[in-house]
Amino acid sequence: MSQIALPYFAKGEVVKGFGRGSRELGCPTANYPEDVVKKLPNEIECGVYFGVASVDKGEVHDMVLSIGYNPFYNGTVRTMETHVLHTFENDFYGKELRVVLLGFIRPQIKFNSLEEFKQKLREDIAYASNELQKPEYVKYKNDSFFTD
Ligand SMILES: Cc1cc2nc3c(=O)[nH]c(=O)nc-3n(C[C@H](O)[C@H](O)[C@H](O)COP(=O)(O)O)c2cc1C
């Protein structure tokens, strides 16, 4: 069960992905380098999660995060990508991203079309935004992990 290892705290520098997130999906993602992905415990299975995140010790925002091989793109490398639910002025390559994974949404899917994928992303974000209003999750925005 994926929930056993939650909450899961991670931090690391944002590196460049393929750029498909913003270009094709309208869902920009911040990618972690391999060392951060390798540290994931076995209990954290591939899939889509919700949680909270900050960039360079800034404000803590809601986020959705995907872990896996991105089957829609026939990926061969396991990646860990965060979509912060906030509009930023600039991209944040090279900046420090801190995330807390709080809940599992679903496994990764190999969608039949880009439209299906985009529709599911909208549903993921709606589900996450609703869950993250619960006090048991809101409290993580004030966790010392974000200020240490
Ligand atoms: C909320 C969310 C859900 C995702 N779900 C899937 C999925 O079900 N299947 C999949 O192949 N990739 C999924 N991804 C990963 C995307 O394929 C990946 O973020 C996108 O290709 C951008 O990658 P890039 O930053 O390397 O360009 C998801 C990403 C996010 C942020």
Side-chain angles (χ1 to χ4, degrees):
M1 246 276 274
S2 60
Q3 313 285 8
I4 290 169
L6 300 181
Y8 181 72
F9 298 74
K11 64 179 163 185
E13 191 190 321
V14 178
V15 297
K16 268 196 197 285
F18 290 103
R20 293 174 302 224
S22 352
R23 208 172 50 241
E24 290 182 13
L25 297 166
C27 178
T29 55
N31 294 46
Y32 271 136
E34 209 182 305
D35 62 307
V36 179
V37 185
K38 283 203 169 138
K39 267 190 222 152
L40 283 168
N42 290 337
E43 297 79 35
I44 301 274
E45 64 192 58
C46 289
V48 181
Y49 292 79
F50 64 82
V52 290
S54 76
V55 179
D56 273 356
K57 289 194 180 174
E59 202 183 325
V60 182
H61 300 286
D62 293 347
M63 63 81 168
V64 282
L65 178 143
S66 164
I67 298 171
Y69 294 85
N70 301 348
F72 182 73
Y73 290 103
N74 298 312
T76 54
V77 177
R78 188 170 59 139
T79 63
M80 186 174 174
E81 313 187 15
T82 306
H83 173 63
V84 185
L85 300 178
H86 177 78
T87 308
F88 291 88
E89 292 287 314
N90 302 104
D91 61 47
F92 31 92
Y93 296 127
K95 296 193 173 163
E96 188 205 53
L97 177 71
R98 297 185 183 203
V99 299
V100 187
L101 279 65
L102 295 171
F104 182 78
I105 305 180
R106 62 174 175 86
Q108 283 199 321
I109 299 169
K110 183 162 182 157
F111 298 96
N112 291 315
S113 71
L114 190 59
E115 244 348 283
E116 260 181 52
F117 192 170
K118 287 163 80 171
Q119 175 57 34
K120 186 54 93 183
L121 282 173
R122 286 190 285 270
E123 289 170 21
D124 293 337
I125 291 169
Y127 178 77
S129 303
N130 191 52
E131 284 295 299
L132 288 163
Q133 287 176 30
K134 295 181 178 169
E136 70 218 70
Y137 298 131
V138 170
K139 69 175 188 207
Y140 284 97
K141 289 193 169 169
N142 297 314
D143 196 281
S144 59
F145 170 69
F146 287 111
T147 46
D148 284 347

